[in-house]
Amino acid sequence: MPEQLSSIAQNLERVRVQIARAAKRAGRSADEIVLVAVSKTFPAEAICAAYDAGMREFGENRVQELEAKRLKLADIGVTWHLIGHLQSNKAKRAAQLFDRVDSVDTPGVAAKLNAAAAEQGKRLPVLIEVHMGGEASKGGVAEAELPALARSVSELANLELRGLMTVPPYSEDLEQVRPYFRQLRALASELGSQLGRPLPVLSMGMSHDFEVAIEEGSTEIRIGTALFGQRNTNGLPRDAAQPEG
Ligand SMILES: *Cc1c(COP(=O)(O)O)cnc(C)c1O
């Protein structure tokens, strides 16, 4: 087995220890936290290795990339999360390939996903991605527009709004990141009361900041690098180098 694949199980073990530690510090149970393995840019073989190590939730940020990989994966019983910005013209394909869409950020995309899910006779669990910290390049809805988007998503019969997701601005200093996690939690709680039903899922925390996210109430962390190693953006299929999903 290539070295990178054999280390996935060890990496997973290490991440689980860190999850347990962070949960304990926060007086939470590690069972409350779902670990989503972010396999973007890594081949189907890496996904199989993670599956063999016990992973059952996977995140990809691009529709075509998962489409290509799924051809190489036998029908393994895993839950696929779309975690990248979705263009409306790919909503139909996304609703077929993914079990969760964690990155809904416009009413248009929500409507397209809803129509696709209806056509496919299913109800698709979704999260709304919230843009925090004012970095221009990222996806997600602005905080000011979140209540209106949440209301419109919650009215769509074939989408099930389960919570919020965010990618805060990167900082080496985790205390700079912590307020964003705290704010996402507050937003979910406030929206839950406005909508009259809870939004239990908070998808926040990546390889470098997931312990802080857990301390601030994360229920889903999205971990790529700490499980699979550094992503190499060279030598990828041309498709995979494009930014959008
Ligand atoms: C790539 C990605 C991750 C994983 O990032 P790591 O730092 O490698 O853990 C998590 N969330 C989103 C939305 C991503 O695009």
Side-chain angles (χ1 to χ4, degrees):
M1 196 188 275
E3 206 230 319
Q4 200 175 37
L5 295 188
S6 65
S7 60
I8 290 174
Q10 281 169 282
N11 292 345
L12 176 59
E13 193 48 45
R14 188 166 46 232
V15 168
R16 288 209 195 282
V17 168
Q18 287 174 275
I19 292 172
R21 253 192 346 229
K24 191 162 179 223
R25 280 199 299 276
R28 305 178 60 198
S29 157
D31 302 339
E32 296 168 23
I33 297 133
V34 175
L35 171 56
V36 178
V38 177
S39 48
K40 66 185 182 195
T41 79
F42 289 97
E45 291 75 21
I47 293 170
C48 290
Y51 179 88
D52 289 341
M55 284 302 313
R56 293 296 180 269
E57 309 263 337
F58 289 87
E60 288 278 344
N61 65 340
R62 302 184 59 256
V63 174
Q64 302 95 306
E65 188 177 336
L66 180 60
E67 191 159 37
K69 284 180 197 175
R70 280 193 75 164
L71 293 173
K72 296 189 208 149
L73 291 165
D75 244 346
I76 53 175
V78 306
T79 300
W80 294 105
H81 296 244
L82 178 62
I83 60 170
H85 177 71
L86 178 63
Q87 294 163 306
S88 353
N89 63 354
K90 292 180 187 139
K92 188 169 174 178
R93 201 66 193 110
Q96 285 166 337
L97 284 164
F98 289 90
D99 305 293
R100 305 266 187 282
V101 176
D102 298 348
S103 48
V104 170
D105 60 2
T106 64
V109 158
K112 286 263 166 60
L113 277 175
N114 182 63
E119 214 172 277
Q120 293 160 33
K122 65 179 181 189
R123 193 148 188 258
L124 187 64
V126 300
L127 305 179
I128 291 177
E129 180 178 355
V130 184
H131 177 100
M132 300 187 110
E135 278 177 22
S137 65
K138 290 201 188 136
V141 65
E143 276 182 52
E145 290 155 35
L146 173 63
L149 179 58
R151 215 170 309 118
S152 80
V153 172
S154 65
E155 283 162 7
L156 297 169
N158 291 80
L159 298 187
E160 183 193 346
L161 178 59
R162 305 214 57 226
L164 303 179
M165 188 269 254
T166 198
V167 180
Y170 180 87
S171 174
E172 295 270 318
D173 177 2
L174 297 179
E175 294 311 315
Q176 300 288 317
V177 183
R178 187 186 297 277
Y180 295 112
F181 295 145
R182 204 167 278 177
Q183 174 67 0
L184 193 74
R185 183 184 187 172
L187 288 172
S189 152
E190 199 178 306
L191 271 180
S193 359
Q194 283 171 19
L195 298 171
R197 60 193 183 80
L199 295 178
V201 179
L202 286 174
S203 176
M204 54 189 200
M206 299 163 51
S207 290
H208 71 290
D209 59 14
F210 71 88
E211 293 194 51
V212 172
I214 289 170
E215 288 168 13
E216 296 302 331
S218 174
T219 68
E220 267 184 32
I221 56 175
R222 307 176 310 269
I223 307 296
T225 312
L227 284 178
F228 295 106
Q230 287 293 333
R231 280 183 292 278
N232 178 8
T233 42
N234 301 318
L236 285 175
R238 193 178 53 82
D239 247 354
Q242 293 170 2
E244 302 202 330

